Amino acid sequence: MGYTLRPFEAGDAPALSRLTLEAIVTTGAKAYSQEQVNVWAEGHLDPQRFLARAKAGDLIYVMADATNAPAAYALLEPDGHLDMLYCAPEHAGRGLAGRLLFHAEMAASERGIQRLYTEASELARSVFERAGYQLIARRDFGIRGVAIHNYSMEKML
């Protein structure tokens, strides 16, 4: 199946919201407890947030499948923070995340950004490491009283 990298379109918002929830619930469950997955997912229910983020100047890149439906996406903030990188479970393992990370690097370089940074989930950590990100620290925190963790990572461009 061929994929196309394209910019976010306003009509993508509901699909990106569904994709994010599916990735958290399905893929996230491989490394996090059900309680952790539930609180993580609660923060990603509103599709309007994608429209707000795009309007605020965040760059959202979509890997679209043969029908132009989003299969994966990345959200890059103007300061180099890669806030989101999600892939639909049925499209996982096809290199989409790596392609999105490469594109984010090119876009950041064009904008004079010298450092990309993120908070990677347990499962995303290896994707970022393969793309050359360095581990800074494990971050242990709570969401609505539920302990969870991710990894602070960065890449100098």
Side-chain angles (χ1 to χ4, degrees):
M1 175 181 289
Y3 296 94
T4 305
L5 178 69
R6 64 169 175 77
F8 170 77
E9 300 166 357
D12 291 330
L16 292 187
S17 187
R18 282 190 305 275
L19 183 158
T20 305
L21 288 172
E22 289 171 8
I24 292 169
V25 170
T26 303
T27 309
K30 295 176 183 176
Y32 295 94
S33 72
Q34 189 61 55
E35 184 179 34
Q36 290 170 322
V37 166
N38 290 345
V39 296
W40 179 7
E42 286 173 13
H44 296 279
L45 298 174
D46 183 9
Q48 295 303 311
R49 69 191 172 102
F50 292 103
L51 299 172
R53 298 290 297 266
K55 185 176 181 180
D58 294 340
L59 303 173
I60 305 172
Y61 303 106
V62 174
M63 290 298 298
D65 67 13
T67 68
N68 200 35
Y73 74 94
L75 188 149
L76 178 65
E77 296 173 345
D79 70 347
H81 181 231
L82 193 64
D83 188 36
M84 294 187 225
L85 177 67
Y86 285 98
C87 183
E90 65 272 20
H91 296 280
R94 297 181 184 171
L96 302 183
R99 288 176 61 186
L100 284 164
L101 288 175
F102 178 78
H103 184 72
E105 285 179 33
M106 297 301 103
S109 292
E110 289 171 5
R111 289 164 177 75
I113 297 169
Q114 298 178 357
R115 173 183 172 258
L116 291 176
Y117 66 101
T118 195
E119 298 79 34
S121 71
E122 188 68 47
L123 294 164
R125 177 181 169 182
S126 63
V127 173
F128 283 96
E129 286 176 335
R130 282 192 301 273
Y133 282 70
Q134 301 299 310
L135 175 65
I136 297 171
R138 177 180 159 132
R139 297 176 62 243
D140 292 288
F141 56 97
I143 303 174
R144 288 178 285 294
V146 177
I148 194 167
H149 71 277
N150 61 23
Y151 297 92
S152 178
M153 302 182 80
E154 71 177 1
K155 182 174 185 176
M156 303 307 291
L157 302 178

